[in-house]
Amino acid sequence: MITYLLRRILLGLVTLVVITLMVYGLARSMPGNPLTVQLGESDPSRKLNPEDQQRMLEIYGLDKPWPVGYVQWISKVIQGDLGRSITRKQPVTQLIGERIGPTVLISGTALFLTWFLAIPLGLYASARGGRIDERFTGLVLYALYSFPTFVAALFLQIIFAVWLRDTHWELPLFGMSDLSSDAPFFARCRDVAWHAILPITCQTYVVLAYNSRFIKANLEEVVRQDFIRTARAKGAGPWRVLVHHAFRNTLIPLVTLLGLSLPALVGGSVIIEQIFTWPGMGRLFFESIRERDYPTIMGLTLMFSVLTLAGQLLADLLYSIVDPRVNVE
Amino acid sequence: MAAPLLEIKDLVTVFHTSDGRLPAVDGVSLSIERGQTLGLVGESGCGKSVTAMSTLRLVSSPGRIESGSIMFTTEGESIDLVTTPEKQLRQVRGGRIGMIFQEPMTSLNPVFTIGNQIAEAVQLHRKVSRSEARSRALEMLHLVRLADPEQRLDAYPHQLSGGMRQRVMIAIALACEPDLIIADEPTTALDVTIQAQILELLDDLRSRLGTAILLITHDLGVVAETCDDVAVMYAGRIVEQASAVELFSRPLHPYTIGLLQARPNVDARDSGPLETIPGMVPPPQDFPSGCRFHPRCSHAREPQCNVEPPSLREVSPGHFVRCHFAEEINS
Ligand SMILES: Nc1ncnc2c1ncn2[C@@H]1O[C@H](COP(=O)(O)OP(=O)(O)O)[C@@H](O)[C@H]1O
Ligand SMILES: [Mg+2]
């Protein structure tokens, strides 16, 4: 077990180096740099003269070829230093620290909701398989699954922020809070929750639709197996057969899906947070790429990659719990 | 005379598919007395499993019991398993009738321990605590003579061999001391030596516990060793039925005779190549007219055999046969 974990962690570190190397190379190869992008966009007359620009690039270590820059970056990371954001003049760790809460609020809630709702939905769909109500929900889920998030987000914004404006049902268009930081704590929580409804909905529905369809498909596969017939021949009722015997067996493929759902949420959060101007890590990622803010890009890349790898490791460990035939040794 | 333990009458089980209505079981009648073993024999595809599944209403869609009755009598009370409400039927399943299947490799749930799976059968039918159910499971493992029962109780199915798993299946089927066990080709998937052990175990348990057995097999050798009565099935119908002694000494239906000749004979090693019945069992969509066996029968005569379906006649007391010319052929 220990050797297995060590091997996995070692492999994970190698993967991290490969990922960050590729991302760093790509980021540095994008046209422009933090200075030109930032200044050139806002006001052409304030362009730095070439000498100043060169000096500043030297300060940030951007005058050398990117492999050198990468080595400098990673040797600092090993010492626990993610560097300072070029455009925001803040340590990257502090920047991420500020954004992590809002992202967990949206993505964490969405992750919880997708699983909390997908399991009963999947069980329901396979218990009622083929009946009219199941066909209808199946169709709705299929439609949801095929519906792009950004389109859904726009529709939801139009409906709840525009059409339903000045009604009970109005929901904020974007942002995380309209209240100043000295407003009462409870009122602020309420306000943030209010703002979070639409982004959470958008972040949830696609994965929910996918997961419940996945669970249903797997259950249908399992209930055709011989051991289900054995369970029925023992005298187990339909509910017990479905939940105890069939569902317990679908946990095996579900663990894979769970491991994959972390990276999917990260990807989703970039789009959702951008659409709803939500001050989280996804939006920070998007902005740092636009600003060519290499230290921030790399800090977030590192963080997302660690999350993804941890999700996979967790999934592999869970396998040996849900499937007695799997032995991690 | 008291009612038999299980009496199947004119059972018709059909599958509604794109090929139309397929009567896989087409008017089967069988009866089993308490503590007796009835062998149901026939080649693969003749409807044995569908008959077994129909008995506990386990045929899944598109299959459906279309007509007939299955009277099950215990403690002086008779119920028709075809019409009894689902709830009552569940008490019979695993409680009064246990079932063993052909595939020991896939018939156990891979994610639960075998102790757990035997205990479940007990807990579904008796109000017992977890630990009582567990000790009952251990008792059952002793009964089916599984080696190292204490350790095996917490083993998962994949850690056991086919023969051991079949013993576990028998333990599950017997856990609630049923009146009847339906064993659908319990040894077909096993090695020959293991087959003999499992059959011996079943026979031993039957004589000790008084459980009746419906033993389904395509192997007449298995029947000869263990059964009191035999029913031979062909294309969804019973074609011959008699006591085992009678059937083996005086087989009447050409199909039964063919099956007997196709049996490897251990005593006469140099009797030449085995005779097999030419052709295969037709599936329900291709059932021939008249006698369903006539296309494969060497005694078939036109116009009777291909036009007129023979009925099941009692040719001597307790010996039934479905053939127009049974007496002539055998005289
Ligand atoms: N689910 C099903 N759908 C359609 N036909 C079936 C199904 N199950 C069995 N049958 C048909 O029923 C006939 C008898 O099958 P079965 O009882 O399994 O034979 P066996 O005697 O080998 O146990 C076969 O011809 C098969 O085609
Ligand atoms: Mg069969």
Side-chain angles (χ1 to χ4, degrees), chain B residues 15 17 22 24 43-50 62 185 283-284:
Chain B
F15 291 92
T17 69
L22 309 180
E43 289 166 288
S44 182
C46 65
K48 306 181 300 289
S49 293
V50 176
E185 312 222 19

Side-chain angles (χ1 to χ4, degrees), chain B residues 230-291:
Chain B
V230 187
V232 180
M233 193 166 179
Y234 186 79
R237 286 186 173 155
I238 301 296
V239 293
E240 184 162 8
Q241 189 167 7
S243 71
V245 178
E246 166 83 6
L247 191 97
F248 282 97
S249 59
R250 207 164 75 90
L252 291 180
H253 197 283
Y255 181 60
T256 314
I257 296 168
L259 286 179
L260 283 167
Q261 281 167 351
R263 251 176 87 206
N265 194 337
V266 230
D267 307 324
R269 253 181 226 107
D270 42 18
S271 63
L274 290 176
E275 288 181 49
T276 53
I277 311 168
M280 290 195 327
V281 184
Q285 55 269 40
D286 302 327
F287 281 166
S289 61
C291 169

Side-chain angles (χ1 to χ4, degrees), chain A residues 35-44 47 290-292:
Chain A
L35 310 174
T36 53
V37 170
Q38 202 180 15
L39 300 173
E41 263 178 7
S42 50
D43 183 359
K47 260 208 165 101
R290 206 179 51 200
E291 295 164 358
R292 309 286 188 271

Side-chain angles (χ1 to χ4, degrees), chain A residues 34-35 38 56 60 62 84-90 92 291-296:
Chain A
L35 310 174
Q38 202 180 15
M56 289 191 71
Y60 294 123
L62 297 177
R84 288 176 73 83
S85 160
I86 297 173
T87 52
R88 287 160 205 259
K89 321 278 186 269
Q90 250 180 317
V92 171
E291 295 164 358
R292 309 286 188 271
D293 186 2
Y294 308 125
T296 311

